[in-house]
Structures are given as C-alpha cells and as structure tokens.
Amino acid sequence: MDKKFPISRYVQIICAFIFIIISAQCKLELFNAGDTRSDAFRRTQLLRCLLGQCEIPFASLVWTEANRTPTANAMSEGSFVNDQVGFIVGSDGLILRTADGGLTWNRLVAGDRDHDLNSIAINPHSKVVFIGGGKIDSSSTFFQYSLNSGRQWTNISLGVNGIVSSIKFADSLNALLTLQDQTSDKTYIFSSFDGGFTWRKVSEQNFIVNQLIIFPSGTGYISGYNTTFTIPFLKKTQNFGETWQDVNMVSGSSLGEVSISFVSPNIGYVALVSGGQQTIRKTYNGGESFESLSLPSNLAITSVARVKFQTETQGYFIANTINTLTYNSIFKTIDGGNTWTASYIDARSATSVSGVIFEKNSIEVFAFMNTSLSPKLLYSGDSGSTWSARAKGDGLQFGRIVMPTETIGYTSGGFAAYPKSVYKTIDGGKTWNSVFETSTNLFRDTFATASGVVWAVGQQRTAVYSNDYGANWLVPASFGAINATTEFRGVSFNNSGVGLLAGYQGSVGAIARSTDFGNNWSNVFTINARFLNVRFINETKAIAVSGFTASNTSQYGVYLSNDAGATWTQVPSMSGILLYDIHVLNENTFYVASGASSNLLDLVYRTTDGGTTWTKIFEKTALVSFNTSVAFSDELNGIVSGRAGLWKTSDGGSTWSRELPVSDGTLLGIAFLPSKTRVIGSGSSGTIQYRSWP
C-alpha cells in the first residue's frame, strides 16, 4: 500500500530548494561584483551555481575595480587552454582568467602578490595549467599547477630558490623550465618526463635565461644575458636540456638582451642590436648560420625588439618606432620576414620596448604593451593585421581623491602623452567619467566641496576650478610671481575662501595663498625642500608636508600655520622625515605618511594634540620606493596603502592586517564617503577601487 508523503517533508524540500537558490544567487552576486555582462550571461551563471559549478573570485568580496580593466600590473605571458578559457600572468602575483575567449578578463586570487609571475604553460594533452615566478631578489620561488582551469592551485617544490622565468612543453610528457638566480648570475634548467608533476635539475648556465623553446625531438634553445646587460647568449640543446652548445648569433652585439622565436628545430629568428643597428636574423639550419632580414627604416635603437613567429611565413615583432618621440609598435610579416607592415602604433610615447604576443589560434591574437604608463591589452581578430584595445584607464595615473557627498566625488591625473584629466563619480564611486582635460602630464591633487566647488592642480603651474560640480571650468586670474614650471602637489580651501597651494620649482618648495576664493595667488613661504601636500585643519589652522631633493634634509617634515596659511612654522620633532600624504580626522587628530625614498619604508605618523607631538603608528618594509597614503574613518579604523601593500587597522594603529600584499596599482589617494560606509582609492596606472567599510 502506498504511503502518503508527509506535508512536512514537502515543506523541507521547498525550503531546501529556496535556500539553494538564495545561496547560488548570493554566489552569483559575488561573482558579478563589478561585472557589466548581459543578463543572459548572469542567468547562465546562476544555473551553473545551482549545479555547484560557480567560481567565486574571493577578491571581489573586499575590493572592486571601478575604472580599470583588466589590470595595471605588468603582464609577462599568456596562453589559452581552449577556445574559451585562457590566462595571463604578470607582476605582483597577477593571474587573469578569461572564460569567454578573451572578451573579458577577471583576476584570480590564486597568485601570491609578494611574487611576480613570469611564465605560464599548458600541457597540450592533459590541459593542466602551470604558472611560475618568484620574488625579484630570487629569495623565494613560486611554482603551481591547476587541474581544473584555475579553480584550485597546488604548489610544486623545486628544492632551490629563484625565479621561474619560463616553462615549456615539448609534448604531453616532456617539459623544461628555467629558474633564474639573479644573486649569482645563474639559471638552472629543470626537466620533467611525467607531464610536469615532478622535476629534476639537469644543468645550469652562468647567465640569466629569459626565453626557452623546446621541441618533441629534444632540440631546444635558450636565450638571455648577463646581469649587467652587456653580453647576449643563445644556446642549443639536443637532449632535453642535459647539455647545451653556444650558438653564434652575430658578432658585435651592443646590447645584452636578445629575443628568439623558433617554429621548428631548424628554422628560427633572432632579434637584437648589432653594431648600433636593430636587426632580425633568420636561421634555416638550427643556428649554424644566420641571414639578416630587412626592417622598417624608422626603428629606434632603445632596446631589443620582441619577435614572435606563428609559422615560417607569418610573424610579428614589437619595437620602438621613432617620429620625434618613440612609440611601441607592432609589425607583421607574411613572407618570412622579407617585408614588414606596421599594424599598430601606440598613441603613447614610450622610451623602451616591453611587450608580448600570444595567440589563441591562427586568427585571434593577443598582445600586451608594458610601459611606464601602464599595460595595454590588445586584441586582433585578423591575424594581427589590425588591433583594438581590450582595456580602459591605461595611461592615467590618478592622484588623490575626494568624496564631498555620498554620491559625488572627484579624482584627477594624467601622464606623458595623455592629457591632465579630472574624473567624477555620481554614484558613490562605482563608476567614473572624465569631466575635464587639458594639455599633457599630471594633475596631482583634487579639492571639492558639497556645494559644487572643484579644484585640480598639477604640473606646469596648472590649477583649474569649477563652481558647478565640474560642468564648467575656469583658471585663476593671476599666479603672481609663481613660476610657470612650478608643480603644484596640494590644494586646500577653508570656508572663508582662503586657499593654499603646496608645490615646488626644482628643489625649492613653496606655499602659495589666495584670499579671494582662488582668483589670485602669491607665494607666502619657501623652503629648500619640496612641498608635497597641504590641508586646512579648521578655519585658521593648516598643515603642510615636505620632502625630496632638499639641499638640507632637515627641512623635510611637518609645517603648521595658525593664521590661515599666512605664516608657517616647522614641527621640530618631525624634522628630517620625508612625507607625502596628509589626512585630517578632526582638529586634534591627523596623520601624515611617507614619500618615496631610498629607505624603502612605508611610514605613518599620528598626532592627537593638534600637531605638537607625533607618534609613529605604522612601519613596513616596501619592495620598491613609492609614496604612501593614509586615511582614517574614526580614531580606530584606518587604512594605509604603499608598496608594502594595503593594510587595515581597527585599533587605532596598534595592530595592522594586510588586505592585499600589493594593491593593483598602488593607491595614491584614499577617501571615505561622508557616512564612512565605503572607502575608495585611486592611484597609479589608472586604478580606482572601492570596498564597503569597515
């Protein structure tokens, strides 16, 4: 006899199903933080989440990118698993993954941001993904693999520290990798015969290997340079790296780096500078002899071109072209290098070549340019004949940021060939658009009020302002005796219309003052160090900080004014400390943070008595020299960004937790919404990021 199904059981099933849907929807919202793809795509992702197949990038739980895709990190190498799934790796632990054939790229959290990632390889049969890199001083190695297209990663130990500079598969079982030890000018060669899961050291080289090529026959090539970049190397193996023989590329090379591309064990191409001339040479016999290929006439000899051939006839190289200034360019050949056509010339001037081309297939090709202005990801759907950018925000470096209301905020920046730009948000920092542009170089600081007043200041004595939320812009009527080459680094106003500008010309720092809402300016105070910021504390009290290129470093430090900036006095206890940033919490409590220096330290100091006495509350060793920014929402909760990473405190600075070892594009400015429910950062390489607070 059939038993009745209890009503309570139906209720349990319905509740469980509702829970699954809600859980999957939550996962989807996390997955799509900052995502602008179609609703259809999102519905598909929801179904995948219901089936337990949804990937959740953990980083989106904390910080969301608002302005830049896909990254400001320098990119090193890319590869595709199949037609849809691909990866790019790069500096500061960068791992970008695409699941839609390269249309969009999302950052994975698998990479350890204390390590640069230099290489990626995918087993041609098993599709296992391998990524490698290390710390810049070769003190620690990063080497991992993923069995499921980047969802989870497993460490591989090589038993020796260094930088994994290249990983290459000859076939499904045989692979080689190179491990740089830059402290000893050596590179270790490792081989694997089980598809990449176990490795053994087979040889070592007394130079830095930066490229590796290996074929199923066991023939392979390595190229590189000594640490002083004076001697180039090209070597060949015929037994999977056990032994290597010198290949005589060319005599008279004047640069110590080369770029190689081989399409078979015998046919290959070498790019280098020889006798003061850029050259690409081709071998048909495995390096026994080379012939020179013709090149465009407008190449700059600033560094070695990057060469990449897909077949014996079709190939590319990235090089500097020169037309008054130098520009990274991509050239294409379809006849084996006999003739070349420029298929892309970057709009931004660059002094050196740094870029990589990798193909998804014979038709779809990707490239990225790494310059001082930030990387640019490029895509070609016609075998490299034309290129389009797959990134936004490139070329910008934002300075400080201000959020005068819950919805409206501003930041500003620029760089080199890009104009000075002011960006505005009207949705609390989630999206940003340019509202002003002028000439070139950088805006450094931004000031704004809830009533619609906006100022942006920067290089070449640039100061512009708006009284209507950025709709229309004006320039001051007079700068008085302020020199036209002055660089403004800070701007601030009180409620009475008194304005202050901090900046410098050469090594002389100056504070300028206006008493008519910024219409006219004149210098009121100078020192032999560069002023880098200024802020009003209240109607009459102000603070400025200084550093950089002082003839007497004792003039670095904190300066205070008690008469709305008319006169200034240095704080003796802070003399000699190079400072960049200021954050005013209230009339008694404010913070200053360090500027870039050879000490490689991120530092923050706090005062709770209006600037009379100061206490160091943050000190971390940084990887490289960079400015440090600081902001506190109250006496307890604060954030610091520098090249030591992004740090958060909830106890007033007694203890700190590192949110990100290195932020994607270090934040040069940090601001809170007036409600203190969100923090927004802006900074290098066009990054704007936000997260809920605290």
Side-chain angles (χ1 to χ4, degrees):
M1 182 175 63
D2 293 337
K3 294 182 179 180
K4 292 184 178 180
F5 206 61
I7 294 178
S8 60
R9 185 58 177 159
Y10 282 112
V11 173
Q12 290 175 351
I13 293 173
I14 293 171
C15 289
F17 187 70
I18 293 174
F19 174 80
I20 292 172
I21 293 177
I22 293 174
S23 176
Q25 182 65 48
C26 290
K27 287 183 178 180
L28 181 61
E29 290 174 359
L30 295 174
F31 179 86
N32 287 317
D35 199 344
T36 58
R37 286 172 284 191
S38 67
D39 290 339
F41 178 87
R42 292 169 181 267
R43 286 193 295 271
T44 301
Q45 289 300 106
L46 176 57
L47 292 174
R48 292 181 66 227
C49 289
L50 287 170
L51 297 173
Q53 299 174 351
C54 184
E55 296 175 51
I56 309 171
F58 180 77
S60 66
L61 298 174
V62 182
W63 288 92
T64 300
E65 289 273 17
N67 186 66
R68 192 199 62 229
T69 54
T71 182
N73 299 55
M75 294 177 273
S76 301
E77 199 167 25
S79 187
F80 275 83
V81 177
N82 52 42
D83 195 54
Q84 295 298 308
V85 178
F87 297 87
I88 296 172
V89 297
S91 65
D92 300 328
L94 175 71
I95 307 177
L96 293 173
R97 183 180 187 271
T98 180
D100 55 15
L103 182 64
T104 58
W105 297 82
N106 295 298
R107 178 159 190 165
L108 302 184
V109 297
D112 178 348
R113 300 188 188 208
D114 281 334
H115 295 82
D116 293 331
L117 298 184
N118 301 78
S119 52
I120 179 170
I122 298 170
N123 187 299
H125 176 72
S126 67
K127 302 302 181 183
V128 176
V129 182
F130 295 82
I131 55 175
K135 288 191 174 181
I136 58 176
D137 60 0
S138 299
S139 63
S140 179
T141 301
F142 188 94
F143 189 31
Q144 293 188 340
Y145 70 89
S146 174
L147 298 172
N148 52 14
S149 296
R151 293 172 179 85
Q152 291 90 29
W153 297 85
T154 302
N155 285 318
I156 302 175
S157 175
L158 295 174
V160 61
N161 285 333
I163 301 170
V164 177
S165 58
S166 189
I167 311 165
K168 290 292 183 290
F169 279 89
D171 50 41
S172 60
L173 294 178
N174 297 288
L176 291 183
L177 73 77
T178 55
L179 184 74
Q180 299 175 355
D181 182 359
Q182 299 202 9
T183 62
S184 62
D185 209 6
K186 289 183 180 293
T187 299
Y188 303 105
I189 313 295
F190 286 77
S191 68
S192 174
F193 299 102
D194 61 359
F197 294 106
T198 61
W199 297 82
R200 67 183 183 93
K201 186 173 72 173
V202 293
S203 58
E204 63 182 63
Q205 301 295 324
N206 292 319
F207 65 95
I208 300 300
V209 175
N210 66 340
Q211 278 189 278
L212 164 68
I213 296 168
I214 188 68
F215 294 98
S217 63
T219 298
Y221 298 86
I222 53 175
S223 67
Y225 48 88
N226 62 340
T227 52
T228 59
F229 281 83
T230 57
I231 304 174
F233 294 92
L234 176 60
K235 291 194 173 187
K236 177 180 180 179
T237 183
Q238 293 179 295
N239 53 11
F240 288 104
E242 298 279 350
T243 59
W244 296 85
Q245 300 81 42
D246 290 325
V247 175
N248 183 18
M249 300 170 287
V250 62
S251 60
S253 177
S254 57
L255 285 183
E257 188 178 359
V258 297
S259 175
I260 63 173
S261 181
F262 279 76
V263 296
S264 73
N266 291 320
I267 299 174
Y269 302 81
V270 175
L272 73 164
V273 174
S274 175
Q277 297 296 318
Q278 184 70 254
T279 181
I280 293 183
R281 299 191 171 185
K282 181 177 182 179
T283 179
Y284 292 93
N285 51 22
E288 292 183 16
S289 62
F290 287 86
E291 65 177 36
S292 294
L293 304 177
S294 60
L295 290 175
S297 59
N298 61 334
L299 292 184
I301 314 301
T302 54
S303 64
V304 175
R306 311 299 192 222
V307 62
K308 171 69 174 181
F309 273 77
Q310 292 175 292
T311 67
E312 184 181 351
T313 57
Q314 181 167 299
Y316 317 90
F317 74 90
I318 300 174
N320 272 154
T321 57
I322 185 166
N323 182 14
T324 307
L325 299 174
T326 57
Y327 303 88
N328 277 353
S329 304
I330 298 177
F331 295 85
K332 178 185 176 182
T333 181
I334 57 174
D335 58 9
N338 292 315
T339 60
W340 298 87
T341 302
S343 58
Y344 174 81
I345 299 178
D346 202 323
R348 306 166 301 179
S349 175
T351 57
S352 63
V353 181
S354 181
V356 174
I357 290 176
F358 67 101
E359 59 270 12
K360 174 181 168 184
N361 50 53
S362 61
I363 303 299
E364 294 182 273
V365 187
F366 289 82
F368 40 82
M369 302 286 196
N370 298 319
T371 72
S372 60
L373 308 178
S374 78
K376 173 175 282 189
L377 180 64
L378 303 172
Y379 167 78
S380 174
D382 55 10
S383 300
S385 296
T386 59
W387 299 86
S388 59
R390 281 281 170 90
K392 62 181 179 180
D394 285 339
L396 286 173
Q397 174 178 289
F398 290 118
R400 300 184 181 97
I401 188 169
V402 59
M403 296 295 302
T405 76
E406 286 293 295
T407 56
I408 297 175
Y410 307 87
T411 187
S412 59
F415 220 133
Y418 268 67
K420 298 184 183 77
S421 300
V422 180
Y423 275 57
K424 178 182 178 181
T425 180
I426 59 174
D427 58 9
K430 293 182 178 180
T431 59
W432 296 78
N433 292 289
S434 177
V435 292
F436 178 77
E437 293 183 353
T438 180
S439 67
T440 58
N441 294 305
L442 273 170
F443 278 125
R444 294 291 194 176
D445 193 25
T446 309
F447 171 86
T449 69
S451 61
V453 175
V454 189
W455 278 77
V457 301
Q459 295 173 330
Q460 299 167 335
R461 202 182 62 183
T462 302
V464 298
Y465 67 94
S466 171
N467 293 317
D468 54 8
Y469 299 94
N472 298 282
W473 293 87
L474 304 167
V475 297
S478 173
F479 283 110
I482 302 174
N483 191 281
T485 61
T486 297
E487 179 167 324
F488 295 136
R489 283 297 194 109
V491 58
S492 187
F493 283 82
N494 66 9
N495 294 326
S496 303
V498 178
L500 300 173
L501 285 171
Y504 56 85
Q505 181 192 5
S507 61
V508 177
I511 294 177
R513 188 170 183 260
S514 171
T515 57
D516 58 1
F517 294 91
N519 198 40
N520 295 276
W521 295 88
S522 61
N523 284 333
V524 295
F525 184 65
T526 60
I527 60 172
N528 290 319
R530 295 179 174 183
F531 277 114
L532 297 181
N533 202 0
V534 65
R535 290 290 182 263
F536 270 102
I537 299 167
N538 55 31
E539 284 298 288
T540 58
K541 192 168 184 177
I543 179 176
V545 293
S546 69
F548 291 120
T549 63
S551 57
N552 182 355
T553 58
S554 65
Q555 296 198 28
Y556 292 170
V558 175
Y559 292 78
L560 296 174
S561 173
N562 291 309
D563 54 8
T567 61
W568 293 84
T569 303
Q570 186 179 21
V571 176
S573 64
M574 296 295 284
S575 173
I577 301 174
L578 191 160
L579 298 171
Y580 161 80
D581 200 23
I582 301 169
H583 178 75
V584 176
L585 185 62
N586 54 51
E587 292 188 3
N588 294 313
T589 302
F590 30 98
Y591 307 81
V592 294
S594 60
S597 73
S598 58
N599 292 330
L600 299 183
L601 292 174
D602 291 338
L603 302 169
V604 175
Y605 299 83
R606 176 185 63 202
T607 181
T608 58
D609 56 11
T612 303
T613 60
W614 293 81
T615 302
K616 183 165 58 178
I617 62 170
F618 182 89
E619 179 177 341
K620 303 293 180 184
T621 301
L623 293 174
V624 295
S625 178
F626 212 79
N627 294 323
T628 307
S629 56
V630 58
F632 274 72
S633 58
D634 53 45
E635 298 276 356
L636 297 177
N637 295 286
I639 194 166
V640 171
S641 177
R643 288 301 291 180
L646 194 65
W647 296 78
K648 180 178 181 290
T649 183
S650 57
D651 56 12
S654 296
T655 61
W656 296 85
S657 60
R658 190 166 64 167
E659 291 206 323
L660 296 175
V662 178
S663 174
D664 291 1
T666 305
L667 304 180
L668 295 169
I670 305 170
F672 296 97
L673 297 185
S675 64
K676 315 299 184 187
T677 57
R678 181 178 299 152
V679 61
I680 307 169
S682 60
S684 61
S685 299
T687 186
I688 303 177
Q689 304 180 53
Y690 66 89
R691 60 155 290 177
S692 60
W693 189 258

